[in-house]
Short mmCIF file of all heavy atoms in Angstrom, two decimals:
data_model
loop_
_atom_site.label_atom_id
_atom_site.label_comp_id
_atom_site.label_asym_id
_atom_site.label_seq_id
_atom_site.Cartn_x
_atom_site.Cartn_y
_atom_site.Cartn_z
N ARG A 10 109.89 79.00 91.34
CA ARG A 10 109.81 80.27 92.06
C ARG A 10 111.12 80.61 92.75
O ARG A 10 111.82 79.73 93.24
CB ARG A 10 108.69 80.17 93.13
CG ARG A 10 108.42 81.45 93.89
CD ARG A 10 107.93 81.18 95.30
NE ARG A 10 108.92 80.46 96.09
CZ ARG A 10 109.98 81.03 96.65
NH1 ARG A 10 110.21 82.32 96.57
NH2 ARG A 10 110.83 80.27 97.34
N ALA A 12 113.06 84.21 94.99
CA ALA A 12 112.85 85.59 95.46
C ALA A 12 113.51 86.53 94.45
O ALA A 12 114.71 86.79 94.50
CB ALA A 12 113.45 85.76 96.85
N LYS A 14 115.10 89.26 92.32
CA LYS A 14 115.87 90.46 92.67
C LYS A 14 115.75 91.54 91.60
O LYS A 14 115.97 92.71 91.87
CB LYS A 14 117.36 90.12 92.87
CG LYS A 14 117.64 89.06 93.90
CD LYS A 14 117.27 89.52 95.31
CE LYS A 14 117.43 88.38 96.29
NZ LYS A 14 116.48 88.40 97.38
N GLN A 67 115.78 98.67 97.82
CA GLN A 67 115.52 97.44 97.06
C GLN A 67 114.68 97.81 95.83
O GLN A 67 113.51 98.18 95.95
CB GLN A 67 114.80 96.41 97.93
CG GLN A 67 115.63 95.99 99.14
CD GLN A 67 115.07 94.75 99.81
OE1 GLN A 67 115.18 93.64 99.28
NE2 GLN A 67 114.45 94.93 100.95
N GLN A 69 113.33 96.18 93.49
CA GLN A 69 112.18 95.36 93.06
C GLN A 69 110.87 96.11 93.24
O GLN A 69 109.92 95.94 92.48
CB GLN A 69 112.06 94.06 93.90
CG GLN A 69 113.26 93.16 93.90
CD GLN A 69 114.09 93.42 95.14
OE1 GLN A 69 114.48 94.55 95.39
NE2 GLN A 69 114.40 92.37 95.88
N PRO A 155 109.11 87.92 98.32
CA PRO A 155 108.58 88.15 99.67
C PRO A 155 109.48 89.19 100.34
O PRO A 155 110.70 89.05 100.29
CB PRO A 155 108.72 86.79 100.37
CG PRO A 155 109.58 85.94 99.50
CD PRO A 155 109.83 86.64 98.20
N GLU A 157 110.20 91.58 103.88
CA GLU A 157 109.96 92.27 105.14
C GLU A 157 111.07 93.30 105.38
O GLU A 157 111.11 93.94 106.41
CB GLU A 157 109.80 91.30 106.32
CG GLU A 157 110.94 90.36 106.53
CD GLU A 157 110.69 89.30 107.61
OE1 GLU A 157 109.60 89.28 108.21
OE2 GLU A 157 111.60 88.50 107.85
N GLY A 158 111.93 93.45 104.37
CA GLY A 158 113.03 94.42 104.46
C GLY A 158 112.58 95.83 104.11
O GLY A 158 112.88 96.34 103.03
N LYS A 198 118.71 76.22 94.21
CA LYS A 198 117.92 76.44 95.42
C LYS A 198 118.50 75.55 96.52
O LYS A 198 118.59 74.34 96.36
CB LYS A 198 116.47 76.05 95.14
CG LYS A 198 115.48 76.74 96.06
CD LYS A 198 114.06 76.45 95.67
CE LYS A 198 113.45 77.49 94.76
NZ LYS A 198 113.43 78.85 95.29
N ARG A 200 118.55 74.28 100.54
CA ARG A 200 117.82 74.17 101.80
C ARG A 200 118.60 73.22 102.72
O ARG A 200 119.54 72.56 102.28
CB ARG A 200 116.41 73.59 101.56
CG ARG A 200 115.51 74.43 100.62
CD ARG A 200 115.12 75.74 101.25
NE ARG A 200 114.08 76.45 100.54
CZ ARG A 200 114.27 77.51 99.75
NH1 ARG A 200 115.50 77.97 99.53
NH2 ARG A 200 113.24 78.12 99.20
C1 FMN B 301 109.27 86.80 105.37
C2 FMN B 301 110.32 86.97 104.31
C3 FMN B 301 110.95 88.19 104.14
C4 FMN B 301 111.88 88.38 103.12
N1 FMN B 301 112.40 89.63 102.90
C5 FMN B 301 113.15 89.83 101.78
C6 FMN B 301 113.54 91.15 101.40
O1 FMN B 301 113.24 92.14 102.05
N2 FMN B 301 114.25 91.27 100.25
C7 FMN B 301 114.60 90.20 99.46
O2 FMN B 301 115.23 90.40 98.42
N3 FMN B 301 114.25 88.95 99.81
C8 FMN B 301 113.53 88.74 100.94
N4 FMN B 301 113.13 87.47 101.27
C9 FMN B 301 113.52 86.36 100.39
C10 FMN B 301 114.40 85.30 101.06
O3 FMN B 301 115.69 85.78 101.22
C11 FMN B 301 114.33 84.05 100.19
O4 FMN B 301 113.01 83.60 100.15
C12 FMN B 301 115.23 82.92 100.71
O5 FMN B 301 116.58 83.28 100.66
C13 FMN B 301 115.03 81.63 99.92
O6 FMN B 301 115.25 81.85 98.55
P1 FMN B 301 114.15 81.61 97.43
O7 FMN B 301 112.90 82.34 97.87
O8 FMN B 301 114.73 82.21 96.19
O9 FMN B 301 113.90 80.15 97.32
C14 FMN B 301 112.23 87.28 102.30
C15 FMN B 301 111.60 86.04 102.49
C16 FMN B 301 110.64 85.89 103.46
C17 FMN B 301 109.94 84.56 103.59
#
Side-chain angles (χ1 to χ4, degrees):
R10 184 210 61 79
K14 303 294 174 214
Q67 298 194 73
Q69 303 97 306
E157 56 186 0
K198 204 174 267 302
R200 300 291 191 256

